Amino acid sequence: MAGAQVGYTTRAESMGADATLNTALSAFTDCIGYTCLHTLAVKVSDKFRQLALLSEQHFLPMPVRGLPSGKETGKFISIDVGGSNLRVGFVELFGESGVDGGDGPSRERVRKAHERSWPIEEHLKVDKAEDLFAWIGACIADVIRSGYAELSAAEKQELLIGITFSFPMTQTLLGEATLLPMGKGFAITSNLNLGKMLLDGYQRQCGAAKANVVNVAKSSASLEASYKLPKLKLVAIANDTISTFISVAYAVKARPNSRTAMGLIAGTGTNAAVPLKLDYFSPSKTAHSRASFIGNSAEADAIVTNTEWSVRPTGDPLFELDIPTKWDKQLDEHLPPNFRGFQPFEYMTAGRYLGEIVRLVLHDFVSRGNGMDNIPPSLATQNSISTASVAAAALESDMVSLAEPFAKFPTSLKAIVQPISKAVMDRSAALMAAYVVGLLALAGDITLQDLNDKLAKRNMDEDFVKEELVIAYTGGLISSNPGYRESCEYWMNELIRKSSWKNQGKQIVLKEAADGGVIGAAVLAGTAMSLMGSRTELT
């Protein structure tokens, strides 16, 4: 890993033996203010600049330059492997003309069919990689069988496939990827050939189908689908943040002075993607990207980049500003050894961990007395409180109305559930906003001046240009919690508005990338076919 991990600070531990409500709330909310968040954003931007240039685990560029043209067409199997769920479906792209070739805002540029979703069970996350990918292969086969009757003769022989994978990886070709350490509770080792593992898992289903064909009279499309599966040609693999960004850039026609600036994941985990200029990277990181470009050649000096912004040492600015609490430290200490200190920013902001932070605070409050004799069973078990429960409690004004697992808590404990939950959620949104602003500053989309610098006075002869910076987002944490999304957007705009007069006229708008992983994978598969058509090397 690039850089050294800064250790957890002692501020929270110095709060003393009494975990009172006020000290607990202050531990989480002291950082929620313009001065702290601005300083954090500046430090984050500086750290990101170092990592983009030097780190092999961060700021991983796509193996092609530029952005999709919006003209991509074709029918594809799209796969989205997330931290919690697997989604598979058919996606058809119709390009600029839309499905009917007509004009107007109602034209359909993307059509999905036979899409299905499955939760990824915990045992699959810790089993051998072969077992996980065999299960994924079985799910792909199920979707293909459901849509088999609608396939053309050529598609029954071979289907093109695009994959969104919500984990870090390195790429030299658009259709190949090597897995890096995964996080999000997955114990699978790194350095796996992702495409090969997935195709091998699917091939096991094809082998099983061929074994079953004996003594079966294939007299219908359903029987044919059951026992004969088409080959798959893997043409594109992308990280989920890149797919999120790409899906909105393709499917939504930007308004004047509006552009998609960034892709954001805020769900089980967190990550971001952003287009960056070639000169932000060392030549070794962009050697393959420099060889080919997609879309408009005028945009070919930019590379859509998977930042992996939660992987250490991206958390260093948090420690430098003494933001982690003693409960963040406890959460880290309770993780499996290989995850400790691995993603500190994610541990403080992402959906997989916010419920556990609240549990640790409440457990501490009860274990120190505070008028309570017994620890409720739900507080004694690690990860027993979900982030969904915390998000709901944060909005609850009446403690009598608190739902499980808080409903059976003693009244004195119920009284602190809402303020603690709200503080943890608010801190997550504020930190997320600071990291977004730091990344946009790195990309040159906004200007961040150091607090110690005098703000330059605006040249009255120089007009600012109004511009809407669209951040395409996905993930349950931000999608399912409007208050969280609004808090993120508020702090993003507050930070850019106050940081420099050069940002006047600029506004950040969060736009949900519905089905971004599935649609983005198809768009990149269409991009791959365009590259094949131009005889750019892909395989």
Side-chain angles (χ1 to χ4, degrees):
M1 292 291 176
Q5 175 64 37
V6 177
Y8 277 89
T9 63
T10 59
R11 174 181 68 88
E13 292 180 300
S14 69
M15 289 191 300
D18 295 327
T20 65
L21 178 59
N22 286 338
T23 55
L25 293 178
S26 294
F28 289 105
T29 60
D30 281 353
C31 64
I32 305 176
Y34 173 75
T35 299
C36 182
L37 294 177
H38 177 276
T39 304
L40 177 61
V42 171
K43 287 180 176 290
V44 164
S45 189
D46 291 342
K47 174 62 72 174
F48 284 170
R49 187 175 298 277
Q50 299 170 18
L51 296 174
L53 181 65
L54 300 173
S55 174
E56 297 299 324
Q57 286 79 40
H58 305 83
F59 289 84
L60 309 173
M62 284 179 59
V64 291
R65 295 177 286 144
L67 300 172
S69 64
K71 299 178 182 179
E72 290 79 9
T73 60
K75 187 173 185 179
F76 309 95
I77 281 284
S78 284
I79 302 170
D80 181 7
V81 184
S84 303
N85 297 287
L86 167 71
R87 297 170 66 197
V88 182
F90 286 94
V91 177
E92 191 164 4
L93 306 177
F94 299 103
E96 290 181 318
S97 62
V99 64
D100 297 320
D103 296 321
S106 62
R107 65 185 182 183
E108 189 177 16
R109 299 186 66 189
V110 179
R111 178 179 292 171
K112 299 182 299 167
H114 303 284
E115 184 180 341
R116 291 187 59 188
S117 177
W118 299 262
I120 301 176
E121 302 292 343
E122 289 300 317
H123 72 89
L124 291 169
K125 297 181 180 182
V126 298
D127 286 348
K128 295 186 299 183
E130 290 80 4
D131 296 331
L132 171 64
F133 285 97
W135 174 75
I136 293 174
C139 295
I140 295 170
D142 284 349
V143 168
I144 292 175
R145 290 186 183 106
S146 69
Y148 189 84
E150 301 166 21
L151 299 179
S152 67
E155 290 166 344
K156 288 180 179 179
Q157 297 301 312
E158 182 178 78
L159 281 171
L160 303 176
I161 186 169
I163 304 173
T164 292
F165 203 67
S166 303
F167 304 93
M169 54 193 174
T170 58
Q171 291 183 269
T172 58
L173 299 171
L174 197 53
E176 295 182 5
T178 300
L179 191 63
L180 295 173
M182 294 174 68
K184 300 181 187 176
F186 285 77
I188 294 173
T189 58
S190 58
N191 298 320
L192 293 178
N193 184 319
L194 178 57
K196 182 179 185 302
M197 292 296 296
L198 188 139
L199 292 177
D200 286 350
Y202 175 76
Q203 194 59 41
R204 288 172 63 175
Q205 299 302 311
C206 294
K210 289 179 180 178
N212 290 333
V213 79
V214 179
N215 298 324
V216 175
K218 294 183 290 180
S219 57
S220 69
S222 61
L223 282 174
E224 184 179 1
S226 297
Y227 298 103
K228 182 179 180 181
L229 291 168
K231 292 191 300 182
L232 295 182
K233 183 177 180 64
L234 177 55
V235 293
I237 304 175
N239 176 268
D240 57 341
T241 53
I242 288 178
S243 288
T244 297
F245 176 89
I246 291 291
S247 69
V248 171
Y250 174 86
V252 178
K253 184 176 180 180
R255 298 186 299 274
N257 300 320
S258 175
R259 60 187 172 87
T260 305
M262 179 179 161
L264 172 66
I265 305 295
T268 303
T270 181
N271 198 7
V274 67
L276 293 175
K277 302 291 186 182
L278 282 169
D279 57 8
Y280 280 79
F281 306 93
S282 63
S284 63
K285 290 182 72 169
T286 57
H288 300 281
S289 306
R290 293 171 189 266
S292 59
F293 67 85
I294 59 176
N296 187 338
S297 60
E299 298 172 331
D301 62 341
I303 311 175
V304 182
T305 305
N306 165 27
T307 65
E308 292 302 329
W309 73 354
S310 70
V311 176
R312 65 184 174 196
T314 61
D316 287 1
L318 297 168
F319 297 106
E320 292 168 11
L321 295 176
D322 200 14
I323 292 175
T325 70
K326 71 172 185 177
W327 300 289
D328 297 308
K329 181 179 180 180
Q330 289 173 9
L331 183 145
D332 187 83
E333 291 172 343
H334 294 167
L335 293 170
N338 57 319
F339 290 114
R340 292 171 193 164
F342 179 52
Q343 295 174 295
F345 173 60
E346 181 162 301
Y347 301 158
M348 297 170 67
T349 58
R352 182 175 178 83
Y353 304 102
L354 299 184
E356 178 63 4
I357 292 173
V358 169
R359 185 193 73 83
L360 289 169
V361 178
L362 297 178
H363 185 279
D364 191 21
F365 193 89
V366 176
S367 64
R368 294 183 183 279
N370 291 298
M372 286 169 277
D373 298 325
N374 300 312
I375 296 176
S378 59
L379 289 186
T381 305
Q382 188 175 7
N383 297 318
S384 58
I385 295 179
S386 69
T387 294
S389 299
V390 168
L395 299 175
E396 187 57 68
S397 59
D398 182 2
M399 66 178 182
V400 177
S401 303
L402 286 172
E404 293 296 343
F406 309 118
K408 295 183 176 63
F409 281 7
T411 301
S412 55
L413 184 57
K414 276 185 177 181
I416 71 168
V417 167
Q418 189 276 338
I420 292 295
S421 296
K422 185 176 186 304
V424 170
M425 294 293 290
D426 286 349
R427 184 189 67 162
S428 169
L431 297 182
M432 193 77 70
Y435 270 62
V436 167
V437 170
L439 186 56
L440 292 177
L442 171 69
D445 292 321
I446 63 167
T447 300
L448 274 182
Q449 290 182 259
D450 192 281
L451 284 175
N452 294 323
D453 295 339
K454 291 183 179 180
L455 289 178
K457 292 184 178 180
R458 177 184 169 192
N459 182 345
M460 298 308 294
D461 294 329
E462 184 177 354
D463 291 329
F464 58 80
V465 177
K466 289 187 177 182
E467 184 178 31
E468 186 178 80
L469 301 174
V470 177
I471 296 179
Y473 71 84
T474 190
L477 179 63
I478 190 168
S479 298
S480 303
N481 300 293
Y484 184 93
R485 182 171 65 251
E486 291 166 4
S487 182
C488 281
E489 194 170 73
Y490 167 80
W491 280 114
M492 291 172 192
N493 284 302
E494 186 75 356
L495 286 170
I496 67 170
R497 182 178 65 84
K498 290 184 177 180
S499 293
S500 173
W501 68 263
K502 295 179 181 179
N503 297 330
Q504 299 304 308
K506 293 189 177 183
Q507 182 181 16
I508 293 176
V509 175
L510 293 174
K511 181 176 180 58
E512 185 171 12
D515 305 315
V518 170
I519 294 173
V523 172
L524 287 168
T527 296
M529 299 311 296
S530 299
L531 287 171
M532 286 180 178
S534 62
R535 291 185 282 185
T536 301
E537 182 182 358
L538 280 170
T539 58

